[in-house]
Amino acid sequence: MPSAPGSAVKLAVALLATLAILAGLAVMQRDRLRGFWHGAALRIQTLRDGLEVQRDVMITMPDGVRLASDIYLPRGAAKGVAALLIRLPYGKNGFEGALWWVRTFAAEGYGVVVQDLRGRYGSGGVFAPYAHGAEDGAATLDWIAAQPWSNGKVATAGCSALGEVQLIQAKTRNPHLSALIAEGAGGAIGDGGASRGYFGIYEGGIPNLAAAYGWFSAAGGKTADRMQPASIDPAQVIGALPSGTLVSRHREDPTDYEDFMARFEDPAYWRALGYLAADDQFAAPALHVNSWHDIALRGTFEAAALMRRNAVTEAARAHQHVLIGPGLHCNFAAPFLAGKVGDLAVRKGADLDYTALYRGWLDHWLRDGPMPDLAQYTYYMTGANRWQRSATWPPPDAEAQAWYLGGDGTLSRSRPAEGSATYRHNPADPVPSIGGPICCTGGLALRAGPLDQRPNDGRADLLAFRSPVLKAPLAIAGDIRAEIAFSSDAPDTDLVAILTDIAPDGAMVTIQQGALRLRYRKGFDAPAPLIAGETVSATVQFPPIAHEVARGHRIGLHLSSASFPRLERNLNGPGPNQLDTVPRVATNTVHFGAGRSVLVLPVQPENRAD
């Protein structure tokens, strides 16, 4: 006898749930195996190189919480050893992003201390990114300097969360902190930077949904007994509403996801968690390393500027060096090995030896070696495929160049006639993400980086503009912005802008992209609803970029109101958006003429297009 329809639905749901659990278990098993092999390789190295290893040393914090640390020392080290401190939320025994530093530098005579953050893996207490990060880091630096083998000098290193905690603990100005290598660490910025990226969760006031859900569902556990990811396929979850409770609906233990999604407008909340504030001061030199398509790239530039501006020592003021390559999040060498990043070609080969640079940096600040030859800003210009150096950002020879949007889809140096173009943003069918600054998605299959945007080019809910064929190369180096005259019939909506390099064969590969939630058009501290039909000025800020568009190419611009699931959909209601469950169609209009709706590019003068 056939099953009742309800029974069939229940059976299908049960089957999907089982498959999701099995998929989650497979990911967990993969991560365990990966950790096992990393750990095994490290154990072999400790024997080969004669390292002494002290495991699970419990270092007591001022409030009595004890943090688990592994210590790797040159065998027989009695005194005078410089130290490298790596603090992380991903497990000190098996995370390659920490163990690389051990393998690379412990054999060269450095003591390396790898520590589980509070509330994670072997450490006590309760985790939140990054509550107690500053004081725990300072207490650990004091503990290292007090050891009989230490020379009193400690550097910190690591990427992503491992870099963010470095910047946060640096504001304590601990006297033993001699230098930082902060990779992919822009998520540490709070109201100390204009972007207010907060853990890399926000772009233009819009939550980076794929990253936020992915990270907290997979790594959001707050105590050491809750380190397993949610056993569910994120692709089955990411489109559900409301967006602000996605994790709590599928993970039984609490995380900070809900607060992070809801409290963008509460700077006191982020300051309490330690995110960098405008009045923080710093005493240590830092090497800020990142890639053009990192999720918190803009925060890296802002953190370096903040630390330079608020330095209390000459070393910190003179040595906030920024190094930017062409890759993705915590992905520095891979583009040069593969010869591309996303759909964008880069020069294949070892253009820059990151390891040698790090070695020279650490040897200088911890062991009195020579200072590496570093400009304030060293960056890779994609398109031209060359490294460049500058004393400032943007480079001093970059000049603002205006490109006007026209109602006929043109992007021109000449001002167009008065006009407008309208599109409808339907949150139930949003413009899909194609690449971009994507990371930490917890298994959600999204390809990251500069990708060909042609699949979106003909959508009715997207406005496309393109320039004439360039008669000369166009070298863009600095911070792009799109100043858009805009109106809507909704009380809130978003603007997403994607600048592309259009090749003669029609391929349109992303140069950089930016976004803005329109309620923040007057500033993040002055949210204001839109008034139906009223034209407003909205400035979309792009992260920094250095890219040369070749002669014979065009530049293009896509304007829409979504990039899902990379960014949270705006449901076009009055808010709060993260708790809304009712999608509303917004009719959005871009206005042209009289100097309105202009793309401003920072262009080096000798490469300005005609």
Coordinates of all heavy atoms in Angstrom, one line a residue, residues 10 36 48 51 83 106 149 184 225 233 241 260 345 366 381 439 447 456 487 505 592:
K10 N 8.2 13.0 5.6 CA 9.0 12.7 6.8 C 10.2 11.8 6.5 O 11.3 12.0 7.0 CB 8.1 12.0 7.9 CG 7.0 13.0 8.5 CD 6.2 12.2 9.5 CE 5.1 13.2 10.1 NZ 4.2 12.5 11.0
F36 N 46.2 14.5 12.5 CA 47.1 13.4 12.9 C 48.4 13.5 12.1 O 49.5 13.3 12.6 CB 46.4 12.1 12.7 CG 47.3 10.9 12.8 CD1 47.7 10.4 14.1 CD2 47.8 10.3 11.7 CE1 48.5 9.3 14.2 CE2 48.7 9.2 11.8 CZ 49.0 8.7 13.0
R48 N 64.4 14.5 14.6 CA 65.4 14.7 13.7 C 66.3 16.0 14.1 O 67.5 16.0 14.0 CB 64.8 15.0 12.3 CG 65.9 15.1 11.2 CD 65.2 15.7 9.9 NE 64.8 17.0 10.1 CZ 63.8 17.6 9.4 NH1 63.1 16.9 8.5 NH2 63.5 18.9 9.6
L51 N 64.7 18.7 19.0 CA 64.0 19.7 19.8 C 63.4 19.1 21.1 O 63.1 17.9 21.1 CB 62.8 20.2 18.9 CG 63.1 20.8 17.6 CD1 61.8 21.2 16.9 CD2 64.0 22.0 17.7
A83 N 61.8 33.9 21.4 CA 60.6 33.1 21.3 C 59.6 33.6 20.3 O 59.6 34.8 20.0 CB 59.9 33.0 22.7
A106 N 61.6 26.6 14.8 CA 62.2 25.9 16.0 C 63.5 25.3 15.7 O 64.4 25.3 16.6 CB 61.2 24.8 16.5
W149 N 65.0 30.0 29.9 CA 65.7 29.9 28.6 C 65.4 31.1 27.8 O 66.1 31.3 26.7 CB 65.1 28.7 27.9 CG 63.6 28.6 27.9 CD1 62.8 27.8 28.7 CD2 62.7 29.2 27.0 NE1 61.5 28.0 28.4 CE2 61.4 28.8 27.4 CE3 62.8 30.1 25.9 CZ2 60.2 29.3 26.7 CZ3 61.7 30.6 25.3 CH2 60.4 30.2 25.7
G184 N 46.7 38.2 7.1 CA 45.3 38.1 7.0 C 44.5 38.5 8.2 O 43.5 37.9 8.6
D225 N 34.7 21.4 25.5 CA 33.9 20.2 25.3 C 33.0 20.4 24.1 O 32.2 19.5 23.7 CB 33.1 19.8 26.5 CG 32.1 20.8 26.9 OD1 32.4 22.0 26.7 OD2 31.1 20.5 27.6
D233 N 24.5 20.1 6.3 CA 25.0 20.6 5.1 C 24.7 22.1 5.0 O 23.5 22.4 4.9 CB 24.4 19.8 3.9 CG 24.9 20.3 2.5 OD1 25.7 21.3 2.5 OD2 24.4 19.8 1.5
L241 N 15.4 31.7 6.4 CA 15.1 32.9 7.1 C 14.5 32.6 8.5 O 13.9 31.6 8.6 CB 14.2 33.8 6.3 CG 14.7 34.3 5.0 CD1 13.5 35.0 4.2 CD2 15.9 35.3 5.1
F260 N 26.9 38.6 16.9 CA 27.7 39.2 15.8 C 26.8 39.7 14.7 O 27.1 40.8 14.1 CB 28.7 38.2 15.3 CG 30.0 38.2 16.1 CD1 30.0 38.1 17.4 CD2 31.2 38.3 15.4 CE1 31.2 38.2 18.1 CE2 32.4 38.3 16.1 CZ 32.4 38.2 17.4
A345 N 45.3 35.5 -14.4 CA 46.6 35.0 -14.5 C 47.6 35.8 -13.7 O 47.5 37.1 -13.7 CB 47.1 34.9 -16.0
L366 N 64.5 40.2 17.0 CA 64.7 39.3 18.2 C 66.2 38.9 18.4 O 66.6 38.5 19.5 CB 63.9 38.0 18.0 CG 62.4 38.1 18.5 CD1 61.6 39.0 17.6 CD2 61.8 36.7 18.6
M381 N 51.0 44.2 -8.4 CA 50.1 44.8 -9.3 C 49.6 43.7 -10.3 O 50.4 43.3 -11.2 CB 50.6 46.0 -10.1 CG 49.6 46.5 -11.1 SD 50.1 48.2 -11.7 CE 49.4 49.2 -10.4
C439 N 35.8 33.3 2.4 CA 36.6 32.3 3.2 C 35.7 31.7 4.2 O 34.6 32.2 4.5 CB 37.8 33.0 3.8 SG 37.5 33.8 5.3
R447 N 33.4 29.2 -4.9 CA 34.7 29.5 -5.5 C 35.1 30.9 -5.2 O 34.2 31.8 -5.4 CB 34.7 29.2 -7.0 CG 36.1 29.2 -7.6 CD 36.1 28.7 -9.0 NE 37.3 29.0 -9.7 CZ 37.4 29.5 -10.9 NH1 36.3 29.8 -11.6 NH2 38.6 29.7 -11.4
N456 N 26.4 36.5 -14.8 CA 25.5 37.5 -14.3 C 25.2 38.7 -15.2 O 24.3 39.5 -14.9 CB 26.0 38.0 -12.9 CG 25.7 37.1 -11.8 OD1 25.0 36.1 -11.9 ND2 26.4 37.3 -10.7
S487 N 17.7 56.0 -5.8 CA 16.4 56.1 -5.1 C 15.8 54.7 -5.1 O 16.1 53.8 -5.9 CB 15.5 57.1 -5.8 OG 15.2 56.7 -7.1
D505 N 38.0 39.1 -25.8 CA 37.2 37.9 -26.0 C 35.9 38.0 -25.2 O 35.0 37.1 -25.3 CB 37.9 36.6 -25.8 CG 38.3 36.4 -24.3 OD1 37.9 37.3 -23.5 OD2 38.9 35.4 -24.0
F592 N 21.6 59.5 -13.5 CA 22.8 59.9 -14.2 C 22.7 61.4 -14.6 O 21.6 62.0 -14.6 CB 22.9 59.1 -15.5 CG 22.7 57.7 -15.4 CD1 21.6 57.0 -15.9 CD2 23.6 56.9 -14.7 CE1 21.4 55.7 -15.8 CE2 23.4 55.5 -14.5 CZ 22.3 54.9 -15.1

